[in-house]
Amino acid sequence: MDPNENNQAPDAPDSKKMNDVGELPDTFSLIRLRRLAKLGSSTRSPKPEDSSPNPETDAETSNAATTSEAKGKSPADLTPSSTPKPAAANPFTQLGVRSAGAASPTTEGGAQKRGSSKIDDRAPAPAPAKKANTEESVEDFSDRILSHVFRITVDPDRVTDINGPRLNFLSETGQELKENGSPLKLTAAVLDSALLEAVTAVPAEKPILGYLLPCFKRIIRSNIVKETPEKREILEEAKRLCVSNCLFALTIPDLFGRSQPESLVPYLLRGHEQDDGVCLDFLREAVKRFPEDEQFPAVFADAMHSISTKLSGLTMESDYKPYINALMSYTKFPPLLNALSQHPNFMTAQKSGAFVERETILGPFFRLSPLQSEVTLTYFPNPRGLDRSRAAPSQDALRAILRVHQDELFTIANAFIRADTETRTRVLDWFASAINTNHKRRAIQVDPKEVSSDGFMMNLTVILDRFCSPFMDTTFSKVDRIEVEYFRRNPRVDIKEETKLNADQSASDAFYAKKTEGNSNFITEVFFLTLAAHHYGSEATNSKLKSLERDIKWYEKHLTAMEAERPKVQNLAMFELTLKRHTAVLEKAIAMKYAIEGVFLDEKMQELSLRFMRYVAVWLLRLASQTNYTPDKDLQLPLPAQAPEAFACLPEYALQDVVDNFKFVYRYVDLRYLMSAVVSSSRSSVVSSIAN
């Protein structure tokens, strides 16, 4: 029953009851309740039962009452009591006011919010029709993509591509299409003649490859794989014709009205990223055509020979990276390496180490080194004012650059080794030629014009050391693969003029005159090549380091004496010129000394060298003792009184280089680090061999 039904005010709160529960309403609460009682006693007309409540009015009333109630509360009312409070009657219920959140009863004809369509008495607007997905026809695709790729058109009214570049109008091809009644569109059927017309129209002062190579790049960027088979066939045909015309420009210039063939060299040096640079995709397509014409591989080999010739005049201070990158691109394709190995300049019949370094194809790449005299003064300016501590940062930088270059050289050499049997044979012959033509490096007086440079020979030694690394494990499991019969077959290494361990020349000649049948395995070949490379390479450079130290002392002493004679000199201008020359020679010698020390103090290089020398020492002990000795076994001493003939006829440097290498390591290198590196590296090789 509604408490306001008889217009009677509701009873005021019983103060006695409130006192019983321990709560006394304050003055503001009593005033608020009295006002609510007066509001409840006012006469109101009852609402019809079927009328729907007005949500907006109810919400306003509820909000006003809530605000009034919140203002009337005291802090004491907000503090929870220790005893539970009785539920107070809701004054809004007494007033007959429904809260906004209360659900209103719904009648059969209850008013509900109408949709916009009912208000406007209009039918809902139809959804916009989707545009029909019309696929581009093959003919339209062919005309669009071929025009974009080759920058040509057969439509005289179409002067620019959809992307903006200007198109060249092919009048002859367009006229031919008109005569045949065909639409003026480029298709795969007319592309051959259209491309011939486009290439022939290239001005004589401009290279044809400068036009075709960017076209090839645009074909590659067209995502051939994502197209339908019909469209993919068009792009494949465009790629085939583009590569064919490139090869024709290199071999048959008459086809395009040219008298001289194109040069591939500048485009190989520009790199893969340039639009007119030779990329790996182009090389891959070109290699596929090698069986069609023997001129094709010869063209690429000639181009690399020209690059090598240009590189022979550069140093590490020059921009040499494009030349290295060009050869690195060739290493991805064995047919290209095979073509290089067949080139007349891959090997040389000359007996001069300097000729091998500069004139063979691989020579200039191995020649690059910080040990070049033009480069050493760049790393060590004003060397007379440097000591070891101040030279160390420059030596670190030198080693870092050299290590990167040697990594690239190993990648190149390893690609030749793995290409095929014929290419491997040729590159091993080249290594042997570089070693055999440098015997004079161990002479007392060395003519630099007749031998290879220190940088060339050091690079050669390091690369061969790396080839030995896979079989140099701590268990010496492959030491028996090294065949001492190597020198009695057809050895690549020439030891005829070398002093032997325990035999004179006649005894040695008689022993090696007895040939042994068979071919040496790869491990044997690399082992003896590396042993000889250490003798004529790193050990010869080590000897030069010792002579440089003596020369530096002599020059410093001589310059001091010249300075003391300055007051007595009458022709001062001539004296200053002579003094300047002597000072330049001294500074050059000091810079070279620091550079050689920087190279030799590379701990990674010395680690490989030390591991190889350990293998040589174990192999020599096995040969001398005629046992299967390894370091984990005891060696039977004394050795046989009669040395085995194969051991006695070995070159003396087989033992001498082991001794010299260990002497250098003990003198200059941090042995604790080096031995730990050797052990850890050996363990890694053992683990990898077990895993494989």
Side-chain angles (χ1 to χ4, degrees):
M1 181 177 180
D2 192 345
N4 298 327
E5 185 177 355
N6 296 325
N7 294 332
Q8 295 179 358
D11 295 334
D14 191 345
S15 60
K16 183 178 180 180
K17 292 181 180 180
M18 296 183 69
N19 291 334
D20 291 340
V21 296
E23 291 187 3
L24 291 176
D26 55 10
T27 306
F28 295 104
S29 299
L30 294 174
I31 294 173
R32 178 175 60 82
L33 293 174
R34 289 194 184 101
R35 288 179 178 175
L36 290 174
K38 289 181 180 180
L39 288 173
S41 62
S42 61
T43 305
R44 298 177 58 193
S45 58
K47 295 181 181 180
E49 293 181 1
D50 58 346
S51 64
S52 61
N54 189 343
E56 295 180 1
T57 306
D58 292 347
E60 290 176 1
T61 307
S62 175
N63 291 338
T66 304
T67 305
S68 175
E69 183 178 359
K71 289 181 179 179
K73 286 186 178 181
S74 65
D77 295 329
L78 299 175
T79 305
S81 175
S82 58
T83 58
K85 299 179 182 179
N90 188 350
F92 293 101
T93 306
Q94 298 174 3
L95 294 174
V97 179
R98 187 179 292 107
S99 63
S104 60
T106 305
T107 60
E108 295 180 1
Q112 296 181 358
K113 190 173 182 180
R114 293 180 297 166
S116 59
S117 60
K118 292 183 179 181
I119 294 174
D120 299 335
D121 294 331
R122 291 181 301 179
K130 293 184 178 180
K131 187 181 292 185
N133 186 14
T134 57
E135 185 178 355
E136 186 180 23
S137 66
V138 176
E139 292 77 11
D140 291 340
F141 171 81
S142 175
D143 183 58
R144 177 180 62 82
I145 197 67
L146 295 180
S147 296
H148 167 69
V149 165
F150 295 106
R151 301 285 195 259
I152 55 177
T153 181
V154 292
D155 186 354
D157 298 329
R158 185 182 177 191
V159 294
T160 59
D161 184 19
I162 190 173
N163 297 323
R166 184 175 181 81
L167 302 179
N168 296 320
F169 173 62
L170 304 179
S171 57
E172 295 181 6
T173 307
Q175 183 63 29
E176 183 180 350
L177 290 174
K178 282 184 179 180
E179 293 175 356
N180 295 334
S182 302
L184 295 179
K185 293 183 178 181
L186 285 170
T187 61
V190 300
L191 181 59
D192 193 0
S193 59
L195 194 54
L196 179 61
E197 181 182 353
V199 174
T200 307
V202 175
E205 65 274 8
K206 293 185 178 181
I208 294 176
L209 291 182
Y211 164 69
L212 288 176
L213 287 175
C215 295
F216 181 84
K217 290 286 184 68
R218 287 191 286 271
I219 296 174
I220 297 301
R221 297 191 190 108
S222 299
N223 291 327
I224 298 177
V225 179
K226 295 184 178 180
E227 301 295 346
T228 60
E230 295 82 3
K231 296 178 180 179
R232 193 182 308 129
E233 186 177 351
I234 295 171
L235 289 170
E236 290 290 348
E237 178 66 9
K239 182 169 66 174
R240 184 187 70 83
L241 291 175
C242 185
V243 174
S244 296
N245 280 274
C246 287
L247 295 176
F248 293 153
L250 294 169
T251 56
I252 317 175
D254 298 341
L255 184 64
F256 308 110
R258 303 287 180 104
S259 59
Q260 295 295 328
E262 294 280 313
S263 174
L264 193 61
V265 173
Y267 306 101
L268 285 169
L269 294 177
R270 284 186 184 132
H272 305 163
E273 302 302 326
Q274 299 295 327
D275 282 344
D276 57 350
V278 174
C279 62
L280 296 180
D281 292 302
F282 179 83
L283 291 176
R284 186 176 295 107
E285 293 297 323
V287 165
K288 294 178 183 178
R289 316 294 174 85
F290 280 9
E292 300 176 7
D293 193 335
E294 61 182 9
Q295 285 185 306
F296 294 161
V299 164
F300 284 85
D302 288 338
M304 187 53 63
H305 174 243
S306 299
I307 289 175
S308 175
T309 302
K310 289 186 176 183
L311 182 62
S312 64
L314 302 181
T315 67
M316 266 199 163
E317 288 300 301
S318 309
D319 185 17
Y320 68 93
K321 289 298 290 184
Y323 300 84
I324 300 292
N325 293 337
L327 185 54
M328 290 287 285
S329 298
Y330 274 41
T331 61
K332 310 293 183 184
F333 307 98
L336 284 175
L337 299 180
N338 183 269
L340 278 183
S341 67
Q342 300 299 326
H343 193 275
N345 288 87
F346 187 81
M347 293 286 296
T348 177
Q350 296 287 336
K351 299 299 182 182
S352 168
F355 191 88
V356 173
E357 179 178 347
R358 287 183 174 273
E359 301 299 329
T360 60
I361 290 180
L362 291 180
F365 293 93
F366 279 77
R367 178 176 176 269
L368 289 173
S369 172
L371 296 183
Q372 291 172 305
S373 57
E374 304 91 338
V375 181
T376 54
L377 286 174
T378 305
Y379 282 97
F380 306 99
N382 190 22
R384 296 184 68 185
L386 295 177
D387 54 15
R388 288 187 179 275
S389 60
R390 296 176 63 184
S394 297
Q395 290 176 333
D396 291 338
L398 179 149
R399 282 191 291 268
I401 293 176
L402 181 59
R403 196 174 298 162
V404 172
H405 179 57
Q406 288 175 346
D407 288 342
E408 293 171 334
L409 289 179
F410 179 73
T411 301
I412 292 169
N414 193 41
F416 274 95
I417 292 294
R418 294 178 178 274
D420 53 60
T421 304
E422 186 180 7
T423 306
R424 173 190 292 185
T425 301
R426 296 282 291 173
V427 77
L428 289 177
D429 289 341
W430 180 82
F431 278 117
S433 173
I435 292 170
N436 293 331
T437 55
N438 280 287
H439 284 195
K440 293 182 179 180
R441 280 176 55 86
R442 298 312 305 263
I444 298 176
Q445 296 293 332
V446 180
D447 185 0
K449 296 180 181 180
E450 295 183 359
V451 297
S452 299
S453 64
D454 293 306
F456 175 86
M457 294 303 295
M458 286 299 301
N459 287 335
L460 199 75
T461 305
V462 170
I463 300 310
L464 287 172
D465 269 338
R466 292 194 183 187
F467 278 124
C468 293
S469 181
F471 63 81
M472 293 190 302
D473 56 353
T474 53
T475 61
F476 296 88
S477 60
K478 296 182 180 179
V479 69
D480 57 345
R481 300 285 303 277
I482 302 171
E483 302 166 337
V484 72
E485 294 84 4
Y486 172 79
F487 290 112
R488 299 176 66 186
R489 291 171 179 163
N490 292 311
R492 287 185 167 88
V493 179
D494 182 13
I495 62 169
K496 185 176 182 179
E497 298 180 0
E498 291 294 332
T499 304
K500 306 305 186 290
L501 277 175
N502 195 22
D504 56 20
Q505 190 65 38
S506 59
S508 173
D509 292 342
F511 175 75
Y512 288 120
K514 303 173 184 177
K515 296 296 182 181
T516 303
E517 295 181 357
N519 296 320
S520 300
N521 57 54
F522 180 73
I523 291 179
T524 301
E525 292 277 7
V526 173
F527 177 82
F528 286 107
L529 282 172
T530 308
L531 186 60
H534 273 276
H535 181 61
Y536 302 112
S538 59
E539 295 305 324
T541 306
N542 190 14
S543 299
K544 182 177 180 178
L545 180 62
K546 298 175 183 177
S547 63
L548 277 174
E549 292 175 348
R550 292 193 300 267
D551 293 343
I552 290 170
K553 291 180 180 179
W554 186 88
Y555 279 120
E556 288 178 340
K557 182 179 179 181
H558 188 63
L559 283 175
T560 303
M562 289 181 66
E563 289 289 350
E565 295 293 328
R566 180 187 290 272
K568 303 177 184 179
V569 175
Q570 296 181 355
N571 191 347
L572 192 59
M574 182 62 69
F575 174 81
E576 291 291 347
L577 182 61
T578 305
L579 184 65
K580 185 177 180 180
R581 289 176 180 173
H582 281 72
T583 303
V585 172
L586 174 60
E587 290 183 345
K588 193 174 181 179
I590 296 174
M592 180 61 72
K593 172 180 173 290
Y594 281 133
I596 293 176
E597 287 180 348
V599 172
F600 271 105
L601 293 179
D602 186 347
E603 291 171 340
K604 289 186 177 295
M605 187 200 77
Q606 288 297 339
E607 173 197 335
L608 278 175
S609 177
L610 188 60
R611 288 174 59 197
F612 177 75
M613 291 304 168
R614 288 173 63 236
Y615 233 75
V616 174
V618 171
W619 180 77
L620 288 174
L621 288 172
R622 289 167 65 95
L623 185 61
S625 63
Q626 296 294 294
T627 63
N628 294 328
Y629 167 76
T630 52
D632 60 332
K633 301 176 183 178
D634 293 332
L635 181 64
Q636 297 295 327
L637 295 176
L639 295 175
Q642 182 66 31
E645 195 173 10
F647 177 83
C649 293
L650 284 175
E652 189 180 46
Y653 65 72
L655 181 60
Q656 185 63 41
D657 289 350
V658 175
V659 176
D660 291 341
N661 185 267
F662 276 95
K663 284 171 61 178
F664 178 85
V665 168
Y666 275 98
R667 181 180 178 185
Y668 290 103
V669 183
D670 186 352
L671 197 61
R672 292 173 299 175
Y673 169 82
L674 196 58
M675 291 303 295
S676 63
V678 169
V679 172
S680 62
S681 177
S682 300
R683 287 176 179 172
S684 300
S685 63
V686 171
V687 171
S688 62
S689 63
I690 293 174
N692 294 332

